[in-house]
Amino acid sequence: MPNQRNVSQRRQHGCAATGTGTSTSLSIPFIDDIEVADTSKIRRRSRRHLITPCRIAIVLLTATLIASIMNFFWSHRSNNNKRQLLHDKSVPPEVLLPLSKYSELTYALEHSDLVALYFAASWCGMSTPVSHILDETFGTNSGDGIILSLDGERKPLSIVYVSSDRSLEDYNNYIEGRNWLAVPYDSPQITELKQHFHTCARPEMEVLGIEREHEIPTIIVIDSKDHELLTSEGVKDVKHLKAKALDYWKELSNSVKVA
């Protein structure tokens, strides 16, 4: 293929042959040069549009930060609205304090800072070790001054047993000697609480007509002041943290109040 020099030389020779006496150099680029230039441009464009892991990380971090900020302002606004409504006498209590309709929980809610609803059963093999941990951690001795009893003195925590026992005898035997409060075995509020929190034993699902969110055993911790659900992972907390679970629940309660 002819190059630029050869073309230029032939131009000069042509001028000399025709006698024009003028030398004109016409620069015609290589086709190869054109292809190389175009390829370089494509590569530069590809690099500009290349999605790198670093860019993905920046986008995700930005999205997470925006979501966190929005969630903070939304929570703060919701809590402010709730505080304002608490002073509004026209708003029914059960709207703001949804557990106030359960009279079986009234004593626990009024006399303890935190209420741990313990959904369990004497026949459930998974409930037994959790009950033992509660005994060891918040029993009569170690829990003295911590767990609410029937003496009316306000305490940091109350444990309320919500039974799935198969008989009154099993129910009585299971709570005997334990430092718990308990929803009475024949109270319809046992069923209502299971439906409210979507928590029950597998055999109860059809009877209750619910899609359960939590199986037994489950410990749901409630802030008694505003009935805020702090955690439904109370079983995991007592297994791993033992007595420090109460401190953790207090931190959750404080964080909700600050927000």
Side-chain angles (χ1 to χ4, degrees):
M1 182 176 292
N3 57 25
Q4 294 180 8
R5 181 178 300 177
N6 291 337
V7 173
S8 179
Q9 288 174 348
R10 284 199 297 271
R11 284 282 184 178
Q12 293 174 0
H13 292 163
C15 290
T18 55
T20 59
T22 303
S23 174
T24 303
S25 177
L26 179 63
S27 177
I28 301 177
F30 266 155
I31 293 178
D32 289 346
D33 292 340
I34 296 174
E35 292 176 349
V36 170
D38 289 344
T39 303
S40 298
K41 291 179 180 179
I42 292 172
R43 288 176 179 172
R44 285 196 296 272
R45 290 172 184 169
S46 299
R47 282 196 294 269
R48 283 198 299 268
H49 295 287
L50 184 63
I51 299 178
T52 63
C54 183
R55 290 180 180 178
I56 294 175
I58 292 173
V59 171
L60 292 176
L61 181 61
T62 303
T64 302
L65 181 60
I66 293 173
S68 299
I69 293 173
M70 292 179 65
N71 183 61
F72 171 79
F73 282 110
W74 177 257
S75 299
H76 185 70
R77 180 180 178 181
S78 298
N79 286 333
N80 282 340
N81 291 340
K82 188 170 184 179
R83 293 189 191 102
Q84 292 173 2
L85 289 173
L86 283 171
H87 298 287
D88 189 347
K89 303 300 182 181
S90 65
V91 179
E94 59 270 16
V95 174
L96 298 173
L97 303 174
L99 299 183
S100 62
K101 61 184 177 182
Y102 301 115
S103 58
E104 303 291 358
L105 300 182
T106 300
Y107 179 77
L109 290 168
E110 291 181 351
H111 293 83
S112 57
D113 301 326
L114 303 174
V115 177
L117 299 177
Y118 181 35
F119 295 81
S122 58
W123 54 264
C124 175
M126 296 175 64
S127 297
T128 302
V130 178
S131 297
H132 289 330
I133 293 174
L134 290 175
D135 291 340
E136 294 169 0
T137 306
F138 304 116
T140 303
N141 295 325
S142 61
D144 187 26
I146 296 176
I147 302 300
L148 177 66
S149 61
L150 294 175
D151 61 9
E153 183 181 352
R154 187 175 184 85
K155 298 293 176 63
L157 177 68
S158 60
I159 299 174
V160 181
Y161 181 54
V162 184
S163 166
S164 288
D165 290 308
R166 292 169 177 159
S167 70
L168 177 59
E169 182 181 4
D170 291 340
Y171 167 87
N172 288 330
N173 289 336
Y174 203 61
I175 64 174
E176 184 179 4
R178 287 196 153 115
N179 199 16
W180 305 344
L181 303 178
V183 180
Y185 179 79
D186 57 355
S187 172
Q189 291 187 21
I190 285 185
T191 296
E192 293 169 8
L193 286 167
K194 291 175 182 178
Q195 291 172 330
H196 181 89
F197 291 103
H198 295 270
T199 304
C200 65
R202 182 181 294 275
E204 298 175 308
M205 292 176 60
E206 184 175 352
V207 176
L208 295 173
I210 62 173
E211 289 291 333
R212 68 174 182 173
E213 296 179 7
H214 313 291
E215 60 184 7
I216 64 171
T218 287
I219 297 176
I220 295 177
V221 182
I222 307 293
D223 187 299
S224 64
K225 183 176 182 180
D226 56 12
H227 298 192
E228 195 81 37
L229 193 157
L230 301 177
T231 181
S232 58
E233 299 289 340
V235 168
K236 184 186 298 184
D237 296 336
V238 296
K239 283 183 176 179
H240 291 87
L241 300 176
K242 301 296 190 295
K244 291 183 179 179
L246 178 57
D247 295 329
Y248 173 65
W249 297 336
K250 288 179 180 179
E251 290 177 6
L252 292 178
S253 177
N254 292 333
S255 66
V256 169
K257 292 173 184 176
V258 170

